[in-house]
Amino acid sequence: MKQDLKDVTGTVTIKSLKDIYTDKWTGILNSSPCNLTFAYKKEKNTNLDLVFYMKKFTLEDIDFEKLFESKDENKEEVKEENNVQTDQTQNQNIERYNLKADITIDQIENNVLTANDFNLKVDIKDFDSSFEKAQGTLSFSTKNDEIRDIDKLMATSKIMKVMFTSLKIVQKAFDFAKLDNTNITNGIIKCDIINAQYDIQDGVVSIVKSDIDSDLTVVRATGKTDLLKDAIDVKIQAQIGKTGSKGFKPLVIKVKGPLSDPSYKLDVLSSIASIMSSSGTDAQEDSASKEKDIANKAGNVVKTIGSLFKKGE
């Protein structure tokens, strides 16, 4: 893909071919102002340190699968054909990176995603395309988003898969729950705010926070995803509508199984407890009276929850 870079100012310092860094570069990339600070140092791992800002990032429709074809997968095919390398030798030959990045883009507009105020922070050691030894943190936030093809977006790289797995799970969970009037379903995902934080350890991604807010839905997701074993164990708390004066009262959906095809199950007891949670005033009521009230209402709550599903729990 052709990129137009002009009006560049800045300096590059080359200590050696294994130690290169820049001061703050500024320029115009594809008609949009940007600036960059970058450092590259080759040691046991390749150290990459990147700070990047761009006013508007535009990307035309591309063949993601071809562009991001994994070199490691090609190596794996050669291994299967020749069957001569041991796992130990392969591990020694894998190039890993210590990656630090702080990327800010005011506006993203491409064939799969529209987003504003996008910020991505990455601090990962021993990183390669498999994430097998990777450890560190990744967080991102963005506003006023429209994702038109989340599968294609996640297919671009493992980083994107880590970033947007929670949102994909939420979309599938909402489809499972038949919450057809939300802005997470029906192919196009629209959100006011996405705010996520992940811890990564040897291929296991812990979802510290994955918050999705919009006018129609409020979603919180926590749990773990094992990229190496293709396994997931996540809890999704989803509330229809904005959080009001009575607080966050979500349905609770448990997601387990293969990451590629997880199963979804409504946590009825947790959902009842959430929906019927007491306010400060209610907490002062007589305990026996409160228990009786809960007993009377529980059946109705179960029916209400069950009506959201084709199959009741």
Side-chain angles (χ1 to χ4, degrees):
M1 177 178 294
K2 183 179 179 181
Q3 303 292 334
D4 182 20
L5 179 63
K6 61 183 180 181
D7 298 337
V8 176
T9 60
T11 60
V12 178
T13 301
I14 304 176
K15 290 186 173 182
S16 72
L17 293 179
K18 295 184 178 181
D19 191 351
I20 303 171
Y21 64 91
T22 73
D23 66 358
K24 188 175 182 179
W25 274 33
T26 62
I28 306 294
L29 178 61
N30 295 340
S31 302
S32 178
C34 64
N35 58 62
L36 167 72
T37 303
F38 177 77
Y40 164 91
K41 192 170 185 178
K42 177 68 175 175
E43 296 177 323
K44 179 181 180 182
N45 288 349
T46 300
N47 298 305
L48 299 175
D49 198 333
L50 169 70
V51 178
F52 178 76
Y53 165 80
M54 191 170 186
K55 187 172 182 62
K56 184 176 181 179
F57 177 74
T58 304
L59 183 65
E60 299 298 328
D61 194 13
I62 59 175
D63 186 339
F64 281 104
E65 293 183 1
K66 183 177 181 180
L67 180 65
F68 291 93
E69 183 178 7
S70 172
K71 294 180 181 179
D72 290 331
E73 289 177 1
N74 292 338
K75 290 179 181 178
E76 188 67 22
E77 291 176 3
V78 172
K79 175 201 168 186
E80 290 176 358
E81 291 175 2
N82 298 326
N83 197 25
V84 294
Q85 292 183 317
T86 66
D87 290 339
Q88 183 177 4
T89 302
Q90 284 185 335
N91 287 335
Q92 290 174 348
N93 292 335
I94 291 175
E95 184 172 12
R96 293 194 170 92
Y97 300 85
N98 297 333
L99 174 63
K100 285 187 177 182
D102 188 345
I103 299 172
T104 301
I105 303 174
D106 289 345
Q107 184 180 5
I108 297 174
E109 182 72 45
N110 61 41
N111 56 309
V112 296
L113 171 69
T114 298
N116 295 276
D117 297 336
F118 176 86
N119 180 248
L120 169 66
K121 295 182 185 294
V122 181
D123 188 355
I124 304 177
K125 297 183 183 298
D126 292 324
F127 164 74
D128 66 13
S129 62
S130 72
F131 271 70
E132 181 180 4
K133 300 294 184 181
Q135 49 188 325
T137 61
L138 181 154
S139 64
F140 79 100
S141 62
T142 182
K143 299 177 181 177
N144 301 321
D145 306 290
E146 180 178 292
I147 301 174
R148 292 175 287 280
D149 192 333
I150 191 168
D151 293 321
K152 185 177 285 189
L153 181 64
M154 291 174 62
T156 59
S157 67
K158 276 286 182 72
I159 288 284
M160 287 296 181
K161 187 173 184 178
V162 170
M163 289 171 59
F164 289 96
T165 286
S166 292
L167 190 55
K168 176 62 178 179
I169 292 166
V170 168
Q171 182 190 46
K172 292 185 71 173
F174 275 33
D175 286 338
F176 159 76
K178 305 306 168 189
L179 305 180
D180 296 324
N181 294 324
T182 74
N183 47 3
I184 305 293
T185 55
N186 301 321
I188 296 177
I189 300 171
K190 295 182 179 181
C191 307
D192 294 338
I193 298 172
I194 302 176
N195 194 353
Q197 179 181 341
Y198 306 93
D199 286 342
I200 301 167
Q201 183 70 44
D202 298 334
V204 177
V205 180
S206 298
I207 305 171
V208 179
K209 175 173 65 175
S210 184
D211 297 351
I212 304 163
D213 288 16
S214 71
D215 287 336
L216 298 180
T217 51
V218 178
V219 180
R220 307 284 182 261
T222 55
K224 291 185 178 182
T225 300
D226 192 323
L227 297 176
L228 304 181
K229 296 181 180 179
D230 188 41
I232 189 167
D233 186 356
V234 170
K235 179 175 73 174
I236 294 172
Q237 296 176 290
Q239 172 183 281
I240 305 303
K242 288 281 190 182
T243 299
S245 59
K246 294 183 179 181
F248 187 47
K249 295 180 178 293
L251 297 177
V252 181
I253 301 171
K254 292 182 176 180
V255 186
K256 291 188 176 184
L259 177 59
S260 54
D261 187 23
S263 62
Y264 301 84
K265 183 178 181 180
L266 178 68
D267 187 335
V268 176
L269 293 180
S270 295
S271 297
I272 291 174
S274 165
I275 292 171
M276 301 184 66
S277 59
S278 300
S279 66
T281 301
D282 291 338
Q284 298 175 9
E285 294 177 355
D286 176 76
S287 177
S289 175
K290 190 194 301 182
E291 290 179 5
K292 182 178 179 181
D293 184 52
I294 290 176
N296 290 335
K297 292 180 180 178
N300 291 331
V301 173
V302 173
K303 290 179 182 178
T304 300
I305 296 172
S307 68
L308 298 173
F309 296 78
K310 278 189 174 180
K311 294 181 180 180
E313 290 296 323

